[in-house]
Amino acid sequence: MLKFRSNFNGVQNLYFIHNFRHFLLYSTSTSTKGKPDFVNYLVDKLGFSRKKALITSTKLVHYRMRRGAKKVSEFNFVHNYHSVITFFKQIGLEQSQIRNAIFRNPLILSCNVDKTLIPKTELFQKLGFSESDIAKVIEVNPSICLMGLNTNIIPAIQALKEIMGCYNHVISILKKSPRMRLSCIPKLFLPNVDLLRNYGIPIELIRKHILRNLFSFLRKTDFFQNAVISVEGKLGIPRHSPRFLLGVVLLTSFREKTIESKRRVFKSFGWTDSDIVTLSISTPFVLALSEAMIEKKLDFLMNEMGYEPNYLAKRCMMITSSLEKRVLPRHKLLLVLKEKGLLRMDYLLYSALSMTESQFLKRFVLPYKEVHEVYSKYAGISLEMLTLGSSKPNSNVSCC
């Protein structure tokens, strides 16, 4: 375990303080032009682009002004920010990670190293966080540095551990959840998970979806409960379906009227409620596609290709696959192969879409040199990438 020295309050370089004097005593203006030294420091010492440095400076002004003019004037920001950066380097953050953390929340530069950062870092170490884990958590969610240790961080970690069963999962969640409000976890996360368990959803399946998308489980409980009920009632997905929680995520992510407007697009192409339910059960997030994208895909598949709703509803891959990157290139290539007499039998588009990229290349592209350039043009990839793509066994697997 790292041992931290409490010597971050020493006198800093006088030349550095002189350059930042104007920034420390800034006016109430939010203009970044009044703090050129801070911007220059971010660019010269931390590798910020000038654009991001200006944005960071502006954000910091707004954040600190909300703390109150009195606190701002009493706080020796120049000394402190240098201590924070030095501490971050000591515990293993790379310069790029420090840069990302400051850009996401520049107010972390006001943290007291001895009273705030060291206790939190020591807690993470005791819970089994590695040096790289701690660095990643701070980079992704720097606001954790500003949260109360006993009021927010510890209760949240305990709640996550109670549901996830081990600290490894807790670490994984904290490392990939930017802007997560830890205070919501005990208040919302626990009751929402209990609701799902009482609804008969296996804890293993719940954990799987939490690791994918924690934020859907941090909704107000009444709203979350309505979404859970609506998955069966409005999407038609039974609670025993492995796609049930995908339906919950969908309904907690989009407004009901938004989803209904997308259903209307399907109906405008002759789809029945039953067709839409069949498709939703297979892949709920088809209703997360934009209305324009749904219309564009249905126009091609139904008006140009002649597929019927009941056929497409049972083959979600044809709807979820990228039209420009997957469907059209493969469809056009099959047409060329057929025109050249290189196919001994007709292949269904669905069968071609079901293949991984490497499988498709090996079966339909690489054996026929005369179509290499054709597919390269259709798919928007170089000839060299065709060979490389054939060596990736699971490239471009569909979400269905």
Side-chain angles (χ1 to χ4, degrees), residues 2 12 16 28 49 84 97 126 168 179 182 185 194 282 305 310 378 399:
L2 285 174
Q12 305 300 321
F16 172 79
T28 56
S49 68
V84 170
Q97 293 179 309
K126 290 177 182 178
N168 285 339
R179 300 182 301 277
L182 296 185
I185 292 180
D194 286 342
S282 177
M305 297 294 295
N310 60 352
Y378 289 154
C399 64

Side-chain angles (χ1 to χ4, degrees), residues 217-244:
F217 296 83
L218 298 180
R219 307 295 186 179
K220 291 183 178 180
T221 303
D222 290 344
F223 174 80
F224 189 82
Q225 184 174 18
N226 289 334
V228 171
I229 295 172
S230 296
V231 172
E232 282 188 306
K234 296 182 178 179
L235 296 182
I237 305 175
R239 67 182 70 182
H240 58 75
S241 168
R243 306 285 187 181
F244 182 84

